[in-house]
Amino acid sequence: MKLALFGGSFDPPHLGHLAFARFALDALSPDRLVWLPAGRQWQKPDQIMAAAVHRAGMIKRLIAGEPQFVLDERELHRRGPSFTADTLREFAKQDPGAELMFLIGQDQYARLPTWYQVETIAALATLVVVPRAAHQVVTPPGLPPHRLQVLVLPENPLSSTAVRDAVARGEDISPMVGAEVASYIASHRLYEKKY
């Protein structure tokens, strides 16, 4: 069993996330690609996000009809801050012997030595790092020995910030998030005011 774990705020999830997940599915050939929306992010304690129920609801709509994609809400329901080390430990216990692949952007990879129990993260999962355009992936000092795979993606200019800004301006966001997610955002009046 090979599991690719795709974490993030997904506030909101958009077609760039979906394109990335499909690309990772093709490149890594996992049995399942698990979408892991973050709960309370301990390194961004002041970040205001849409409610967990809404972020989960939007992901469900975005990945509908994709049988290898799974939504996992464990971090949304965890009390206190979400730590990747805890999540990886839970997956390792739940599926003993499974190969865990943790998808991470280059910026997050650079900060990884500051993460809680980074030794656990390095021991339990292959780190699949997505570099920024035209940048080399450099292992940050202080990171314990780990398995590394670099996944170079096609350029995609979409971002959750751009989607939130477009909603606040009253623009049609369907081309950015798809009709189902756009309808969900409109019906719940999410992101109408800039944070």
Side-chain angles (χ1 to χ4, degrees), residues 50-133:
V53 66
H54 292 315
R55 290 185 290 127
M58 289 184 282
I59 293 170
K60 282 177 192 166
R61 282 155 182 79
L62 188 70
I63 67 174
E66 305 264 1
Q68 285 179 283
F69 291 163
V70 178
L71 169 63
D72 188 298
E73 299 183 37
R74 74 183 67 211
E75 290 196 359
L76 297 177
H77 302 299
R78 191 175 287 152
R79 289 176 182 268
S82 285
F83 294 117
T84 299
D86 293 340
T87 300
L88 291 175
R89 258 194 298 270
E90 288 171 8
F91 272 102
K93 187 175 178 183
Q94 177 184 309
D95 289 300
E99 181 184 349
L100 302 178
M101 309 186 86
F102 183 60
L103 309 179
I104 187 170
Q106 187 169 346
D107 293 347
Q108 293 168 306
Y109 183 61
R111 291 193 300 271
L112 205 57
T114 70
W115 286 24
Y116 175 75
Q117 294 185 356
V118 67
E119 307 80 13
T120 300
I121 297 170
L124 291 179
T126 298
L127 301 178
V128 180
V129 178
V130 179
R132 280 216 234 113

Side-chain angles (χ1 to χ4, degrees), residues 15 62 173-183:
L15 295 179
L62 188 70
I173 57 165
S174 299
M176 303 167 89
V177 299
E180 289 296 317
V181 174
S183 171

